[in-house]
C-alpha cells in the first residue's frame, strides 16, 4: 500500500505543478501589457518604444502625466478631470439605473404570473443575441436631436436584455416557499422583492454591476456617433482622439491610458470577492 500511496502523492504533486505553471503563464500573458503600460507612462518619450529596454524601470519621472494635464488645461482642449467626470456620471447612471430596472424586469419574468410573460421572455431572449452595432444606426436617427448631451450617452443603455436574462435565471433558483410565507404575511410584490429577494441576490447584483461597468466604461462606438463637443466627451473617445494626434507622443499616450485604466482596476479590486463568489456559484449551478 505504501508504494501506491507515494505514487499517488507524486502524481498529485506533478498535477499541481503543471496547473500552477499553466496559471503562471496565463497570468504573465495578461500582466505584461499592463506592466508595459504603467512602466512606459513613467519613462521619457524617446525611451518608451525601445524594445525590451521598455520593460526596465529606469529614468522614471512624472513628466508624461504633467504633460497630459498641461495639454488639457483650458476650455478649448477640455480638462482631464472633465473627461473623467463625464465617464463617471454616464457609467454610474447606467450601472445604478440598470441594476434597478433590469432586476425588476427579471423578477417579473421569473416570479410573477401575468398575461404575455412568455412572449416578453422570448423577446428578451432574442434581444440578447443582437449586437449593439446592428441597432446603433436606427438609434442614432431616433436620438440625433439630443446629440452632445450626457444623458443621451447613458439612457439607451440602462435597460439591457442580457442583464434581464441574468437576473431572470438567478431568480428562478430562489425557493418559492420564501415568497409564499411573505405573501401570507400580506407583503406585496415590491416589498417581497426589496426586503427578501434583493438581499438574497447580492452575487447576481455584483456580477451584473461589474459587467455593466466594464462595458460602459470602455464604450466607444456610441460616443463616436453622438458626441462631438469636447465638454461632454468621455474618456475612451478623448483617448482615441489624443492617440491619433501627430506626431504621436507615446509616453503621454501611455500616461493617458493609465488614467483610463486606474478606475477599472480599483472597481475590480473592490468587488472581486463578490464577483468570484458569483462566478463560482454560477459554475456550481451550471
Amino acid at each position: 500500500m505504501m508504494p501506491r500511496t507515494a505514487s499517488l502523492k507524486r502524481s498529485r504533486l506533478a498535477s499541481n505543478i503543471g496547473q500552477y505553471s499553466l496559471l503562471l503563464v496565463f497570468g504573465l500573458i495578461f500582466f505584461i501589457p499592463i506592466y508595459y503600460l504603467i512602466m512606459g507612462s513613467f519613462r521619457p518619450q524617446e525611451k518608451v518604444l525601445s524594445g525590451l529596454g521598455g520593460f526596465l524601470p529606469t529614468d522614471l519621472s512624472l513628466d508624461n502625466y504633467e504633460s497630459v494635464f498641461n495639454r488639457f488645461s483650458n476650455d478649448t482642449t477640455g480638462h482631464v478631470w472633465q473627461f473623467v467626470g463625464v465617464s463617471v456620471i454616464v457609467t454610474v447612471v447606467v450601472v445604478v439605473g440598470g441594476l434597478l430596472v433590469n432586476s425588476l424586469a427579471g423578477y417579473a419574468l421569473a416570479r410573477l404570473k401575468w398575461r404575455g410573460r412568455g412572449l416578453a421572455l422570448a423577446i428578451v431572449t432574442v434581444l440578447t443575441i443582437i449586437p449593439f452595432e446592428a441597432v446603433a444606426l436606427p438609434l442614432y436617427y431616433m436620438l440625433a436631436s439630443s446629440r452632445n448631451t450626457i444623458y443621451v450617452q447613458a439612457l439607451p443603455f440602462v435597460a439591457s436584455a442580457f442583464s434581464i436574462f441574468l437576473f431572470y435565471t438567478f431568480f428562478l433558483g430562489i425557493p418559492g416557499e420564501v415568497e409564499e410565507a411573505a405573501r401570507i404575511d400580506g407583503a406585496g410584490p415590491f416589498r417581497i422583492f426589496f426586503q427578501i429577494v434583493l438581499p438574497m441576490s447580492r452575487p447576481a447584483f455584483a456580477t451584473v454591476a461589474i459587467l455593466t461597468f466594464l462595458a460602459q466604461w470602455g464604450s466607444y462606438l456610441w460616443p463616436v456617433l453622438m458626441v462631438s463637443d469636447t465638454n461632454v466627451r468621455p474618456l475612451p473617445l478623448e483617448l482615441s482622439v489624443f492617440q491619433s494626434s501627430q506626431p504621436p507622443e507615446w509616453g503621454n499616450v501611455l500616461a493617458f491610458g493609465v488614467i483610463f485604466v486606474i478606475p477599472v482596476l480599483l472597481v475590480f479590486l473592490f468587488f472581486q470577492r463578490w464577483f468570484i463568489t458569483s462566478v463560482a456559484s454560477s459554475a456550481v449551478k451550471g
Side-chain angles (χ1 to χ4, degrees):
M1 290 297 292
M2 290 300 293
R4 185 179 179 183
T5 303
S7 176
L8 287 174
K9 287 183 177 178
R10 285 196 296 271
S11 176
R12 189 176 301 168
L13 178 62
S15 176
N16 289 337
I17 292 175
Q19 291 177 12
Y20 282 113
S21 299
L22 192 61
L23 290 174
L24 180 62
V25 171
F26 280 110
L28 287 175
I29 291 175
F30 287 105
F31 176 73
I32 286 175
I34 297 176
Y35 173 82
Y36 194 90
L37 171 71
I38 296 174
M39 196 56 61
S41 69
F42 291 103
R43 303 199 73 197
Q45 299 283 346
E46 63 277 9
K47 294 186 178 180
V48 172
L49 302 178
S50 56
L52 293 178
F55 289 92
L56 300 177
T58 57
D59 302 321
L60 304 182
S61 71
L62 294 174
D63 292 347
N64 292 323
Y65 291 92
E66 184 179 355
S67 177
V68 169
F69 281 95
N70 289 335
R71 191 162 174 173
F72 297 101
S73 59
N74 57 66
D75 293 338
T76 303
T77 60
H79 303 267
V80 174
W81 58 263
Q82 187 178 325
F83 308 135
V84 175
V86 171
S87 286
V88 169
I89 292 173
V90 171
T91 304
V92 168
V93 170
V94 172
V95 172
V96 176
L99 287 178
L100 178 63
V101 172
N102 298 321
S103 62
L104 286 172
Y107 178 73
L109 289 173
R111 312 301 299 190
L112 303 181
K113 295 179 180 179
W114 44 281
R115 183 177 296 178
R117 185 180 66 164
L119 177 62
L121 179 59
I123 293 174
V124 169
T125 306
V126 171
L127 289 177
T128 58
I129 61 175
I130 297 178
F132 174 72
E133 288 78 3
V135 298
L137 200 54
L139 201 59
Y140 167 79
Y141 284 113
M142 289 173 58
L143 301 173
S145 60
S146 301
R147 294 182 73 239
N148 293 319
T149 58
I150 292 180
Y151 70 87
V152 81
Q153 299 182 54
L155 291 184
F157 302 97
V158 171
S160 165
F162 181 71
S163 297
I164 293 173
F165 194 76
L166 282 180
F167 279 119
Y168 165 78
T169 55
F170 186 88
F171 292 149
L172 283 178
I174 296 177
E177 294 79 6
V178 177
E179 292 176 279
E180 192 61 34
R183 288 194 188 93
I184 293 175
D185 291 338
F190 283 101
R191 184 180 168 191
I192 293 174
F193 176 78
F194 285 106
Q195 294 188 354
I196 298 175
V197 174
L198 195 152
M200 299 172 62
S201 310
R202 287 174 184 168
F205 277 83
T207 302
V208 172
I210 291 176
L211 294 178
T212 305
F213 174 85
L214 292 176
Q216 190 58 43
W217 186 260
S219 176
Y220 177 73
L221 176 60
W222 187 242
V224 166
L225 294 174
M226 301 303 292
V227 177
S228 58
D229 187 353
T230 307
N231 294 321
V232 291
R233 189 176 287 172
L235 263 177
L237 184 57
E238 185 56 38
L239 177 60
S240 174
V241 174
F242 185 65
Q243 184 177 356
S244 61
S245 62
Q246 297 296 330
E249 298 177 351
W250 293 112
N252 292 349
V253 172
L254 294 181
F256 206 128
V258 171
I259 296 172
F260 175 72
V261 168
I262 283 177
V264 179
L265 296 178
L266 292 177
V267 168
F268 181 76
L269 290 175
F270 185 77
F271 287 105
Q272 63 170 332
R273 181 164 61 90
W274 293 281
F275 184 67
I276 293 173
T277 302
S278 174
V279 172
S281 63
S282 299
V284 172
K285 290 178 181 177

